[in-house]
Amino acid sequence: MLDPFPFPPPTLLQRAIAPFASSLHLSSLPLHIHEVLLAFLLYHLVNTRLSPWLSTTFFPATYAALPRRTRINWDVHVVSMLQSCLINALALAVIWSDDERRALNPAGRVFGYTGAGGLIQAFATGYFLWDLTICARHFDVFGPGLLAHAVSALAVFLLGFRPVFNYYGPVFILYELSTPFLNLHWFFDKTGQTGSTAQLVNGFALIGSFAAARLGWGTYSSLRIYWDVYRVLIRGESVILPPAEAAEARLGSSSSASEAVLGGAADPKAEIVRFADGDLTVPWWVCAAYLGANLTLHSLNFYWFGKMIATVRKRFDPPLGTKGLAEKGEKIKKGEDGYADGAVHVGREARPDGTRSLEIESREVRNRRRG
């Protein structure tokens, strides 16, 4: 499937990025550099213009009262909401409608290229480029962890412009299917709707989408990419198209970043092998970086899933939630008489003359904070 973006890359912009792309072997980047920059500009404007305007319009009191750190996070969550909805829609459209992509064999899924897959990579790259600038600018808010995540994600999506694993760009973008519900959960807390029915319904959607997209779909897709790499790089299954089809397709293709600036292929099948001339190999460091990042993120998904369930349950009362149980379940030190520290004991006693007495005993122990 050819790139569905309605505007071609400006020749001047392609030529400007070509030396950088060639030096890093990012052969398909000149074809999508305008989409990368447009995505970056879109998210920047949403963060600095659209989010403050929408927030002051619909949540004037809440937004105005937010401290600096929370307001920065609020605007970032608005960008995240837009980005996740947009990139999910694009990825699903490509997966459902790209016939050439659907027909790829293991070698095609590793080395093949489609313009539609490049569009997904471009918008993801633009987002993580914006994310990197935000994390660097507000390092005191987001810290080294999120900055490292932005650098790693940007590097992984840039590697896709070699191009390698172009097929898997839309696949792993679908991790973002749970992100809109995660953002809504955050906004419910900040708008005074913690524990509401709306947050409860959203909580079920969040947990369900996270389990389906990241644990179910993510596990299947991770195993599939490992198997493809094994078949192509270890077993040598490196034929993307049958020789006759490949020869015909290459008549309309170009294979380097310097040639890519001269125009795109008009035939979707020609695009598949456009950057696949010569020896079909991937440096081991590229495989290690890409697959290592995938393995790390996928492992973290299982950890985050448990933390997410615990976080959602804290907002609601039992039996579905755990609100208040932490305080009730704290261990209480007891004295020799069996009374809990700070507890009040009420006892009744019958006297020999037939009257009754009421005895109240209280024990208080001061807690000393450990230094």
Side-chain angles (χ1 to χ4, degrees):
M1 181 179 179
L2 299 175
D3 188 346
F5 195 73
F7 305 108
T11 302
L12 183 63
L13 189 57
Q14 291 187 83
R15 293 188 183 279
I17 198 64
F20 170 79
S22 294
S23 66
L24 297 179
H25 306 285
L26 306 177
S27 301
S28 63
L29 179 59
L31 298 177
H32 301 281
I33 184 60
H34 63 310
E35 297 160 353
V36 173
L37 297 179
L38 181 62
F40 176 88
L41 179 60
L42 171 65
Y43 299 134
H44 172 72
L45 291 177
V46 171
N47 179 250
T48 58
R49 296 291 185 268
L50 185 60
S51 176
W53 178 76
L54 288 176
S55 302
T56 53
T57 300
F58 294 100
F59 305 98
T62 300
Y63 189 72
L66 294 176
R68 170 183 171 272
R69 176 185 294 266
T70 308
R71 183 176 295 191
I72 291 172
N73 263 301
W74 178 291
D75 292 332
V76 167
H77 276 80
V78 171
V79 177
S80 175
M81 176 68 80
L82 171 67
Q83 186 268 345
S84 58
C85 293
L86 176 61
I87 202 70
N88 282 326
L90 289 173
L92 289 172
V94 168
I95 290 174
W96 284 335
S97 59
D98 192 344
D99 296 331
E100 289 77 26
R101 176 186 176 278
R102 191 179 301 110
L104 291 175
N105 60 15
R109 292 193 290 269
V110 174
F111 297 113
Y113 163 81
T114 68
L119 173 64
I120 303 300
Q121 286 179 302
F123 269 78
T125 301
Y127 172 75
F128 286 113
L129 181 61
W130 169 84
D131 190 39
L132 175 61
T133 63
I134 287 294
C135 291
R137 180 182 177 185
H138 301 292
F139 183 80
D140 61 317
V141 175
F142 298 108
L146 289 179
L147 179 63
H149 176 269
V151 171
S152 301
L154 179 61
V156 167
F157 277 99
L158 277 175
L159 285 176
F161 289 111
R162 292 185 69 94
V164 65
F165 305 123
N166 174 274
Y167 171 91
Y168 283 99
V171 169
F172 289 113
I173 279 294
L174 293 185
Y175 276 9
E176 296 295 315
L177 285 171
S178 62
T179 302
F181 303 107
L182 181 62
N183 288 322
L184 286 175
H185 179 82
W186 190 90
F187 282 120
F188 281 132
D189 280 344
K190 297 302 178 287
T191 56
Q193 299 183 68
T194 301
S196 64
T197 301
Q199 191 178 47
L200 177 62
V201 173
N202 180 77
F204 282 116
L206 170 60
I207 293 171
S209 61
F210 192 98
R214 295 188 177 236
L215 305 188
W217 174 256
T219 298
Y220 165 76
S221 300
S222 296
L223 293 175
R224 194 179 187 195
I225 192 174
Y226 302 150
W227 180 239
D228 281 346
V229 169
Y230 170 77
R231 291 177 65 179
V232 173
L233 300 185
I234 305 300
R235 291 171 51 174
E237 300 179 19
S238 58
V239 177
I240 299 177
L241 293 175
E245 292 185 28
E248 181 181 355
R250 286 195 178 95
L251 292 177
S253 68
S254 59
S255 59
S256 68
S258 59
E259 292 173 337
V261 302
L262 301 179
D267 180 10
K269 186 169 289 188
E271 278 206 324
I272 295 175
V273 294
R274 181 174 186 174
F275 302 99
D277 288 342
D279 187 21
L280 295 180
T281 59
V282 179
W284 281 107
W285 70 266
V286 173
C287 284
Y290 196 97
L291 300 183
N294 172 267
L295 180 62
T296 300
L297 180 58
H298 191 57
S299 300
L300 286 173
N301 283 335
F302 286 89
Y303 169 76
W304 289 334
F305 186 62
K307 300 290 288 185
M308 179 187 301
I309 293 176
T311 300
V312 171
R313 293 189 69 196
K314 285 181 181 179
R315 271 67 176 175
F316 304 97
D317 295 321
L320 292 178
T322 59
K323 185 177 180 180
L325 292 183
E327 292 80 3
K328 296 178 182 178
E330 290 180 354
K331 292 183 178 180
I332 301 175
K333 294 182 180 180
K334 294 187 176 182
E336 294 180 356
D337 54 6
Y339 295 165
D341 294 338
V344 176
H345 175 71
V346 179
R348 295 179 182 273
E349 180 182 4
R351 294 177 178 175
D353 58 0
T355 62
R356 295 180 179 273
S357 67
L358 180 66
E359 180 182 1
I360 301 177
E361 179 179 350
S362 174
R363 168 171 295 193
E364 181 179 353
V365 176
R366 293 183 180 180
N367 294 324
R368 180 174 60 189
R369 179 176 297 178
R370 294 182 180 178

